[in-house]
Structure formats: C-alpha cells, structure tokens
Amino acid sequence: MGVTITDIRHAYARIANHTHFTPLISSRLINQLAGCDIIFKADYLQKIGAFKARGACNAIFSLDEAQLARGVITHSSGNHGAALAWAAQLRNAHCTVVMPDNAPQVKQQAVESYGAEITYCAPTLSARESTVDQLITAHERVLVHPYDDDRIIAGQGTAALETLQQLSKPIDILMTPVGGGGLLGGSAIVAKEPGCPTRIRVIGAEPIMANDAWESFNSGIRVTHSVPNTIADGLRSTLGARNFTLIRNLVDDILLTSEARIVEAMRLIWTRLKVVVEPSAAVPLAAILDHPEIFSGQRVAVILSGGNLDLDQLPW
Amino acid sequence: MGVTITDIRHAYARIANHTHFTPLISSRLINQLAGCDIIFKADYLQKIGAFKARGACNAIFSLDEAQLARGVITHSSGNHGAALAWAAQLRNAHCTVVMPDNAPQVKQQAVESYGAEITYCAPTLSARESTVDQLITAHERVLVHPYDDDRIIAGQGTAALETLQQLSKPIDILMTPVGGGGLLGGSAIVAKEPGCPTRIRVIGAEPIMANDAWESFNSGIRVTHSVPNTIADGLRSTLGARNFTLIRNLVDDILLTSEARIVEAMRLIWTRLKVVVEPSAAVPLAAILDHPEIFSGQRVAVILSGGNLDLDQLPW
C-alpha cells in the first residue's frame, strides 16, 4: 500500500534527534526576477550536506539487530551514499556504497570519511544494480535502495513536513528536484494529505538532459533505460517503481529546464542568497525562471536539496 | 577625542531600522581543524553584502539637509562604494564613487545598481585621494571617507556590538580583517569598553601582501605608501590616521597570513559553512590556521566581513 503521512511522521520522530532542523531563507531580488515569492528550505545544511541524510537515517534506524550485523549496501551517485555511510556509522553497522566512476570526487571523499567501503561501477542504472546484486549474493548485505524504498521515501518526506511546520503563511506550490523520486514522492504525500488546511500544488523539476521522470509522468509508462548527461549529478538516477506510482498519483506536474538555466539559477543562489548549493539544488529555481506563467504571483516553497560539489569543477 | 562606545550605541540606534541583524554560524569541522571554537558573525548577509553598510548608513543619516543637497563622494575598492551608494539612495542624495580600475566587476556593478556615479582612477591611495579632491573642488561634494572618518568607524563598530549581544557565552578573542582599519578600530572600542564584563583580546588579520597595518602597528609609525597585491581586494586600502591611533591604543595584535592560506580558508568556509564569502572575509580564519598556538582552546568571534566577488574569477 506504500508510504503514508503516518509513516512520514514516524520517520520524523525516528530521525529528529540525529538530523538538523534546517532554516528557511529567501531573497527579495530573486523574488523580483522570478515574479513570485520563493521560500527556500535550506536542506543543503542538513547532515552530510543534503536532504538524503533524512531517508538514510530513517532506514538505518528501522533495521533490527540481525540486519545491522549483516551490514548495509546501496548504490548512489553521491549524497545517498554519504548519507547511508553516516547513518550506518551512528549504529556501528558496516556500509558498502556502489558508486558510478564519474561521481564528483568530493562525494566519494564524503562516503570514505564516514568509514564506508566504495565499489566503483559504470555510470548506468544496470551497472549499479548488477554490481549491488553481486555483492549482496556474496556478503548477504541488506540493501537500502537510494529511492525505491518505503523507508527512504518516508524519510525524505520529512523535509516537506518540517517546511510546512516552519512556514508563517500558506504556500501555493511545493517544488523539489526529481532524480529517483524519493524527495518528490515523499513531499507529495505530505502536501496532499487530506488534513492539510490548504491546497498545495506539487511540482517536480528535472533537467532536459535527464528527463526520464518527465517522460514517465507524461506517458504513463516508466522509463527504465536512460543515459542522463546533466551537470545536476544528483539527478542522474532513473525514476524508481514505487516513486513512479506515487508521482503519477500525487504530483501535479514535472517541469523541464536546460543546463544553461541550471547554471544561471545556481549562480543566482550563490550570489544572492550567498549560499553554496550543488547544481541539482538549483534545478527548481531554473524551472521557475523557465516557466514564469506558472509561478507568477504564487508563493512557492523550494527544497534546496544539497550543497556538495567540487569547487575545482565549477561550470563557469 | 575620537569615537567612543556611546557614539557606537548612537550609530546603532541610527542604522538599526535600515540594516539587517545578521546571524552567528559555526562549523564543528572547522573548529576541529582550528583547535578552537569559532563563532562567525555572518555580516556578508548585511545590506549590500558587507558590513560596510553599517558605517555608510551611519554617515549618511548623520548629515543635515544642506550637506545632503550637495551630494556625497568617496573612494572605495568596492564595498564601501556600494554601501555609500545604497545609503545615499535611502535619503535621495547624489553619490559619486571613485574606484580603482582593478576593482572586481561585481562591485562596480553594485555601485551602479544603487544609482551612484563612478569615476575610475589608478589603484593607489594617492590616485584615489587626488581624484576625490578634484571632484570635491569642482562640485562641492561632501566627503565620506571609507575608513578615516569617525561616523564610519562608529558605524562599523556596530557589527561587534551586535555580536556581543548575540553570543550565548563570553568570548576570549574578537577578530576582524584589517584594511583601512574602520572595522578593526570600531570593534576594538566595543570590546575594550570598561563596562564589558569579560576581558576580550582584539586581533586584526591582514594579508602579508598588504601588510601596512601590521607594519604600522609594530613600528609605531603609520605606513602611508604601500602597493598591496592581495587577492583580498577589500583589504588593499592603507590604514587611516584615526584608525592607526585607535589600533595602536586598543588592539592586542595584528597577525599576517599568506595568499595560499587565504584561499584555503575561503574554500573551507565555502565547503563547510556552505556560504559564499569574499577573500577578505576569509583572512581571519587564515590567520587562525597559521597561528594555532595563539588560538588553541580559545573561544573566538570572527566577523565575516563580506560576500561580494566575481564567480568568474575564483582562485582555483
């Protein structure tokens, strides 16, 4: 039956002592440029520098002792790997992370810094999954999938839960980037729960160069083959099965945006909010700038998903 | 007789409705690396992206109507120019800014965006001053010097005043970068005022490549000729006369640091605090990293002075 708002509330109770309550920030100049009021949820200040700490923490604290003793494994382009490594360390569990060999170095270093073991593979979903399968067979590790996992979806949903608690005024739209769909799916459950006092539209933002979620959402058939090639490295993963169902049922729209616009939005966030976010986190603002007719005059909450990037590999 | 704590309190009352109350931030990892507890005052989030808004605002709101009608003029490598332009606009006064022709483009644009007129000159103190003198003679503008001015010193001192109000526990050391000496001088008046319940050491941080304040402080003779060549463009100005006296009387020490260390400290702030600061703002952390024996186990407040820089001209 999938994740419910109750699961997300339980996840929040499970993780709140281990994660940060991150602030909301905004910029008058960005609002002027965008023609709407944007409230940014600063989850790049979350543990490990990304919202992914939420899902990983919920998953690890949902395991029993026997599972912990087997150790956990996942595949990740970066932040989920660091998040699982961090959360596993909180419970002294062994952690293996299968990473594509083109993952940013800073994300590889983060995974190592939390004491996890890295196995590299080719940067495709099939290579990731087959490498994980081999390691599970060999070592009996417990899989914690980066997004196609109810515990992960429930954990990621806590970012939206926290945001709605913090807001001083109701919002019209809640936006997140979409890669595997954990954050977008979890956020949609929160925003669409029947008890929510106002109607909130939920919109995902995705790079044109990694448009599998957009294609899946619009065609009704989940795209499982894709070779994403976007600067938004956190969004190179392919929409999960659970996530696809959630998004088809609950999300209002997915908007695409270009690489150039993502870089522009990232610069705008860096120069105006004076904060360091990674390209994936800039994708919702890029989509807003690309679709002013949708956002004009609206009050929009945007989850700034992460702040981990190689400063030596900036796109300018 | 110079600026007193009362002047700084009056300045704060004068500017508080126009400026931001900026937060304090910290990073456990930076504290581990530095071997001390550092509380950063996030004044890069101040109006115009730098503490300079404080002094300029105090100066502009100290002028009478006749002075306002004449218009104001200053010379600045950037942030003071933007600050004076911004403050002048609040009172509809004309503003002229004399800028060195090597000032960062983003700082030139900021001055223009607040409606001020820019006149370019060679990047030396004498070129700045003679250009200003000519314009004052021609147009009867009111000079608001970037640092050798009691109103400016009093205004800059409000950053330290605010910091001491915000701190939950007393500090051992207060650090600021030193260029012309407005921020360091104003901060020293606040930290050394007899009513301050605990003894606070005040330390300035300066690039080796712009070491005129260090040389003046140590020799007792103010250096007035210097050709600074540091990445910390906000600190290329030469220590002012009033500022020199203040610093000799009240400051405990000035520490030097290298260009490489400034870049390292700036990267550390960007990656760990996830905030965008300009090189000048990273100079105190660089000096801390260079002098661990001075800071070991201490509680240190550092004013993060500004966040304006060309993202196309990063030092890596």
Side-chain angles (χ1 to χ4, degrees):
Chain A
M1 65 164 279
V3 181
T4 67
I5 185 72
T6 306
D7 296 323
I8 296 176
R9 293 209 177 100
H10 286 166
Y12 197 48
R14 206 173 277 126
I15 72 171
N17 283 340
H18 305 284
T19 52
H20 292 305
F21 188 93
T22 57
L24 304 179
I25 57 179
S26 60
S27 155
R28 198 160 44 182
L29 187 127
I30 289 179
N31 288 350
Q32 280 169 10
L33 285 174
C36 56
D37 277 350
I38 307 179
I39 302 102
F40 293 99
K41 169 69 168 170
D43 233 36
Y44 64 93
L45 292 175
Q46 190 45 265
K47 289 280 180 185
I48 75 101
F51 76 91
K52 295 271 187 180
R54 299 173 180 272
C57 190
N58 186 48
I60 290 288
F61 281 86
S62 301
L63 298 179
D64 61 30
E65 293 299 329
Q67 290 170 311
L68 278 183
R70 284 164 55 197
V72 292
I73 186 168
T74 196
H75 60 86
S76 165
S77 61
N79 282 330
H80 172 68
L84 195 68
W86 161 78
Q89 203 172 47
L90 292 178
R91 296 194 72 190
N92 297 313
H94 184 279
C95 177
T96 308
V97 180
V98 173
M99 296 188 85
D101 48 26
N102 65 351
Q105 213 190 341
V106 68
K107 292 185 175 176
Q108 299 172 29
Q109 287 164 351
V111 170
E112 280 168 356
S113 77
Y114 296 114
E117 191 184 325
I118 300 181
T119 302
Y120 292 98
C121 69
T124 64
L125 183 60
S126 62
R128 288 187 189 199
E129 290 183 340
S130 66
T131 309
V132 167
D133 286 346
Q134 287 163 25
L135 290 166
I136 290 176
T137 307
H139 304 289
E140 300 203 324
R141 303 291 185 212
V142 176
L143 175 65
V144 181
H145 192 281
Y147 42 87
D148 195 354
D149 180 309
D150 286 346
R151 301 161 299 187
I152 293 293
I153 294 168
Q156 317 305 32
T158 66
L161 196 70
E162 210 173 83
T163 304
L164 295 190
Q165 285 173 12
Q166 285 167 278
L167 287 165
S168 55
K169 287 196 290 182
I171 48 168
D172 302 301
I173 298 173
L174 174 63
M175 278 192 95
T176 81
V178 54
L183 180 63
L184 182 57
S187 300
I189 295 166
V190 171
K192 298 298 186 180
E193 69 120 346
C196 189
T198 56
R199 173 166 154 68
I200 299 170
R201 297 189 71 206
V202 178
I203 300 180
E206 191 175 43
I208 293 172
M209 299 295 280
N211 69 350
D212 61 290
W214 176 85
E215 205 180 317
S216 304
F217 178 79
N218 285 297
S219 70
I221 299 160
R222 185 168 72 101
V223 174
T224 53
H225 59 280
S226 73
V227 187
N229 181 25
T230 171
I231 187 176
D233 57 279
L235 309 182
R236 289 183 194 142
S237 42
T238 308
L239 191 66
R242 281 171 182 76
N243 316 78
F244 171 66
T245 305
L246 265 177
I247 286 165
R248 280 280 290 183
N249 287 339
L250 297 178
V251 165
D252 293 279
D253 207 353
I254 293 180
L255 299 175
L256 295 177
T257 188
S258 67
E259 298 296 293
R261 194 66 101 170
I262 295 168
V263 172
E264 180 194 336
M266 184 170 144
R267 283 183 77 120
L268 210 51
I269 291 169
W270 284 39
T271 52
R272 294 300 163 175
L273 291 171
K274 306 276 185 216
V275 301
V276 174
V277 295
E278 57 187 273
S280 304
V283 171
L285 177 58
I288 290 172
L289 296 173
D290 268 342
H291 299 86
E293 72 288 356
I294 294 177
F295 297 93
S296 174
Q298 300 289 290
R299 203 168 140 80
V300 188
V302 167
I303 297 179
L304 285 179
S305 51
N308 299 320
L309 81 172
D310 276 347
L311 289 181
D312 293 317
Q313 304 286 333
L314 296 176
W316 52 73
Chain B
M1 63 162 282
V3 182
T4 66
I5 185 72
T6 306
D7 295 324
I8 296 176
R9 293 210 177 100
H10 287 166
Y12 197 49
R14 207 173 277 126
I15 73 172
N17 282 340
H18 305 284
T19 52
H20 292 305
F21 188 93
T22 57
L24 304 178
I25 57 178
S26 60
S27 155
R28 198 160 45 182
L29 188 126
I30 289 179
N31 288 350
Q32 281 170 10
L33 285 174
C36 58
D37 277 349
I38 307 178
I39 302 101
F40 293 99
K41 169 70 169 170
D43 233 36
Y44 64 92
L45 292 176
Q46 190 46 265
K47 288 280 178 186
I48 74 102
F51 76 91
K52 296 271 187 180
R54 298 173 180 273
C57 190
N58 186 48
I60 290 288
F61 281 87
S62 301
L63 298 178
D64 61 28
E65 293 299 329
Q67 289 170 311
L68 277 183
R70 285 164 55 197
V72 292
I73 186 168
T74 194
H75 60 86
S76 164
S77 62
N79 282 331
H80 172 69
L84 196 68
W86 161 77
Q89 204 172 45
L90 292 177
R91 296 193 72 189
N92 297 313
H94 184 278
C95 178
T96 308
V97 180
V98 173
M99 298 188 84
D101 49 25
N102 65 350
Q105 212 190 342
V106 69
K107 292 184 175 176
Q108 299 172 29
Q109 287 164 351
V111 170
E112 279 168 357
S113 77
Y114 296 114
E117 191 184 324
I118 300 181
T119 301
Y120 292 99
C121 70
T124 65
L125 182 59
S126 61
R128 288 187 190 198
E129 290 181 342
S130 66
T131 309
V132 167
D133 287 346
Q134 287 163 25
L135 290 166
I136 290 176
T137 307
H139 304 290
E140 301 203 323
R141 302 293 185 212
V142 176
L143 175 65
V144 181
H145 192 280
Y147 43 87
D148 196 354
D149 181 307
D150 286 346
R151 302 161 297 186
I152 293 294
I153 294 169
Q156 317 305 32
T158 65
L161 196 70
E162 208 174 83
T163 303
L164 295 189
Q165 285 174 12
Q166 285 167 279
L167 287 165
S168 55
K169 287 195 292 181
I171 48 167
D172 303 300
I173 298 173
L174 175 62
M175 279 192 94
T176 80
V178 54
L183 180 62
L184 181 58
S187 298
I189 296 166
V190 171
K192 299 296 186 182
E193 69 119 346
C196 190
T198 57
R199 173 167 154 66
I200 300 170
R201 299 188 70 207
V202 178
I203 300 180
E206 190 175 44
I208 294 172
M209 299 296 280
N211 69 350
D212 62 290
W214 175 85
E215 206 181 316
S216 305
F217 179 79
N218 285 297
S219 70
I221 299 160
R222 184 167 71 100
V223 174
T224 53
H225 59 280
S226 74
V227 187
N229 181 24
T230 171
I231 185 175
D233 57 278
L235 309 182
R236 289 182 196 143
S237 42
T238 307
L239 191 65
R242 282 172 181 77
N243 316 79
F244 171 66
T245 305
L246 265 177
I247 286 165
R248 280 280 290 183
N249 287 338
L250 297 178
V251 166
D252 293 279
D253 206 353
I254 292 180
L255 299 175
L256 295 177
T257 188
S258 68
E259 297 296 292
R261 194 65 101 171
I262 296 168
V263 173
E264 182 194 335
M266 183 169 145
R267 283 183 77 118
L268 210 50
I269 292 170
W270 284 40
T271 53
R272 294 300 163 174
L273 291 172
K274 307 275 185 217
V275 301
V276 174
V277 295
E278 57 186 273
S280 304
V283 171
L285 177 59
I288 291 172
L289 296 173
D290 267 343
H291 299 86
E293 71 289 356
I294 295 177
F295 297 94
S296 175
Q298 302 288 291
R299 204 168 139 80
V300 188
V302 167
I303 297 178
L304 285 178
S305 51
N308 298 320
L309 80 173
D310 276 349
L311 289 180
D312 293 317
Q313 304 286 333
L314 296 177
W316 53 71

